[in-house]
Amino acid sequence: MAKITFTDHDGGERTVEAREGQTVMEVAIANDVPGIDAECGGGCSCATCHVYVDEAWSEVVGGPTPMEEDMLDFAFDVRPSSRLSCQIKITPALDGLKVATPQRQG
């Protein structure tokens, strides 16, 4: 199991366990993490699971695909660290991952 820490826009943190193969979005929904709406259910067809990947994790997580970049155009307050959490698959290398949710979803 990997541990992921979610930080909300007010600075509140929640660390949850994730199984390999899940997405960060699936983990957030299963653990009632506030700030992740996931309206499309993980189909990369909306921007309501937008997160900011902690700078220390950006290289491990990698960048968005072109399709994900297109969806991020609809997100609120996009930053260089922005990703859609439905597109980040949990691997053992992501144990300790830190992400933050924006003030609101797109």
Side-chain angles (χ1 to χ4, degrees), residues 6-92:
F6 293 88
T7 304
D8 64 32
H9 70 277
D10 290 326
E13 287 188 347
R14 180 185 302 194
T15 300
V16 298
E17 290 190 344
R19 290 186 316 278
E20 186 174 348
Q22 286 184 298
T23 65
V24 172
M25 181 216 71
E26 291 169 334
V27 173
I29 296 301
N31 290 280
D32 297 317
V33 172
I36 302 287
D37 297 336
E39 290 177 5
C40 76
C44 196
S45 60
C46 73
T48 60
C49 68
H50 176 210
V51 295
Y52 305 117
V53 175
D54 184 275
E55 187 177 316
W57 288 93
S58 62
E59 193 171 308
V60 178
V61 171
T65 64
M67 187 165 114
E68 184 180 350
E69 286 178 342
D70 289 344
M71 288 298 104
L72 283 167
D73 287 342
F74 300 101
F76 174 75
D77 192 21
V78 175
R79 302 175 186 172
S81 63
S82 289
R83 290 291 311 269
L84 297 181
S85 61
C86 69
Q87 299 302 297
I88 304 171
K89 290 250 188 214
I90 303 300
T91 66

